[in-house]
Amino acid sequence: MNTQTQMRREILEIPRAVDRLLHRGGDDIRSAAEAIRARNPSYMVTVARGSSDHVATYLKYTSELLTGTPIASLGPSIASIYNRKLNLAGSVCLSVSQSGKSPDIVEMARMAQQGGALSIAMTNHTDSPLAQVADHCLNLHAGPEISVAATKTFVNSAVAGIWMQAEWAEDDALRAAIMDLPSKLEKAVNIDWPEARAALGARNSIFCLGRGPAYAISNEAALKFKETCQIHAESYSSAEVLHGPVSIVDSGFPVIALAAEDEAESALAGVADQIAAKGATVFVTSEKAMQANRLPTVRTGHPLIDPICLIASFYAMVERTAAARGINPDAPRHLKKVTETV
């Protein structure tokens, strides 16, 4: 493909989209954080699907690491299809949806509020049905996203969520790292891992690995390989991949391991090396690997923020992979921008 794709343009806009959020979203985010602090929940729940659910997984790990508050994912069909009620008294429900239109997400968020949860919605459309059933709505300020594959809305959702948690925890170091994200992301979107792209070649299967908050990024990476490149990708925690999935690895089997600079980095790099020793072609975003190929990455100075730069570089890589395969990532087959699941 000779012309720049819409997906590529939106990836390159990520630093500016985050900057807009940081300049315009503070009042709403601080208000939601104060409400969470006042409630002092013993647990939280999330409602989301697809890329938004990967944001929710990221926020599950960051919440548990930062505040000690566990987060559980709710199945939207409990409310929309099965018409059941949940007792969520004293909890906080975080709903994530780029469009805010999917009926099952809206119905589950409504039921959660009726069940006693403080309802917080994160959406790019503050006039959407989801926003209307929330106690607090966080505008993502991502701007229009035309490409079917979500990129800048994923990043802004993750930033809005971790920023809310930083305000809730009153963590100055995390706040400072978040405010510095646009400059870090400017570098991250210009790293596209050509060595990993070359290793994929004509291969149609790949493993994506992560651990902790980076596992959420691994999930998003696997989805984007399927969505934009028609590559069968599976995401695993590095703690799980050796328990059975590694059996399908053969010579040259591609693996991308996404590591943040946190307590899990050494363990993930060690697993990457073990898989490389079995003949796989393994790439890892860590200097601690000895046998796996090391991918350049942008570190943020805070382990909870590193995964956001990891996904920005991955997006740049996967868009180029799709283009090299003659696939238009702006219009994946069988897909449309908004999926309104009942």
Side-chain angles (χ1 to χ4, degrees), residues 72-94:
S73 174
L74 299 181
S77 59
I78 293 296
S80 64
I81 294 292
Y82 294 101
N83 195 28
R84 300 296 200 274
K85 307 295 182 184
L86 297 178
N87 178 6
L88 299 172
S91 71
V92 173
C93 175
L94 182 61

Side-chain angles (χ1 to χ4, degrees), residues 155-328:
V155 170
N156 274 35
S157 297
V159 174
I162 189 64
W163 186 10
M164 181 177 66
Q165 291 177 354
E167 295 294 344
W168 169 23
E170 300 180 299
D171 189 311
D172 289 337
L174 182 53
R175 284 174 177 141
I178 292 168
M179 293 302 145
D180 196 38
L181 259 175
S183 64
K184 301 295 187 184
L185 287 166
E186 195 67 56
K187 298 175 183 176
V189 297
N190 285 292
I191 296 174
D192 58 17
W193 300 337
E195 55 273 71
R197 289 190 278 117
L200 266 170
R203 289 271 186 168
N204 284 315
S205 290
I206 189 170
F207 280 172
C208 300
L209 306 182
R211 189 132 186 213
Y215 173 59
I217 303 308
S218 168
N219 290 346
E220 173 66 3
L223 174 63
K224 286 299 187 287
F225 270 129
K226 296 168 190 164
E227 190 175 34
T228 66
C229 301
Q230 296 166 22
I231 293 173
H232 177 241
E234 294 191 64
S235 174
Y236 292 101
S237 165
S238 61
E240 298 289 342
V241 69
L242 297 178
H243 289 197
V246 73
S247 181
I248 72 169
V249 167
D250 57 8
S251 178
F253 187 93
V255 177
I256 290 183
L258 300 168
E261 194 173 32
D262 64 8
E263 295 93 330
E265 181 182 7
S266 294
L268 189 148
V271 169
D273 282 341
Q274 289 183 62
I275 298 175
K278 299 179 190 302
T281 302
V282 184
F283 295 88
V284 61
T285 60
S286 173
E287 293 297 316
K288 296 185 177 182
M290 304 307 294
Q291 295 194 53
N293 301 288
R294 301 171 182 176
L295 290 175
T297 190
V298 176
R299 295 304 191 199
T300 64
H302 199 292
L304 296 183
I305 303 299
D306 279 355
I308 295 174
C309 283
L310 288 177
I311 197 59
S313 295
F314 174 82
Y315 284 152
M317 184 272 282
V318 81
E319 184 273 342
R320 290 197 181 279
T321 301
R325 291 182 170 225
I327 298 170
N328 180 3

Side-chain angles (χ1 to χ4, degrees), residues 15-167:
R16 296 190 299 277
V18 170
D19 190 64
R20 278 197 302 272
L21 173 63
L22 296 179
H23 279 90
R24 302 177 187 177
D27 289 344
D28 288 340
I29 284 174
R30 283 185 286 269
S31 177
E34 289 171 6
I36 296 173
R37 193 181 306 114
R39 176 153 294 210
N40 190 26
S42 57
Y43 70 99
M44 298 174 67
V45 296
T46 58
V47 181
R49 289 199 187 280
S51 288
S52 294
D53 198 36
H54 303 154
V55 172
T57 299
Y58 167 69
L59 297 176
K60 164 190 167 62
Y61 280 103
T62 57
S63 173
E64 292 168 2
L65 291 168
L66 182 65
T67 73
T69 307
I71 292 185
S73 174
L74 299 181
S77 59
I78 293 296
S80 64
I81 294 292
Y82 294 101
N83 195 28
R84 300 296 200 274
K85 307 295 182 184
L86 297 178
N87 178 6
L88 299 172
S91 71
V92 173
C93 175
L94 182 61
S95 304
V96 189
S97 171
Q98 184 275 141
S99 70
K101 293 180 180 178
S102 189
D104 59 342
I105 302 297
V106 174
E107 188 57 34
M108 191 67 188
R110 178 184 290 111
M111 185 274 280
Q113 186 186 53
Q114 292 171 349
L118 173 70
S119 179
I120 299 173
M122 297 198 309
T123 180
N124 212 30
H125 297 275
T126 56
D127 58 349
S128 64
L130 181 63
Q132 294 167 15
V133 300
D135 298 306
H136 294 265
C137 180
L138 307 186
N139 188 339
L140 298 180
H141 295 288
E145 187 174 66
I146 299 169
S147 180
V148 171
T151 54
K152 62 179 182 172
T153 56
F154 176 93
V155 170
N156 274 35
S157 297
V159 174
I162 189 64
W163 186 10
M164 181 177 66
Q165 291 177 354
E167 295 294 344

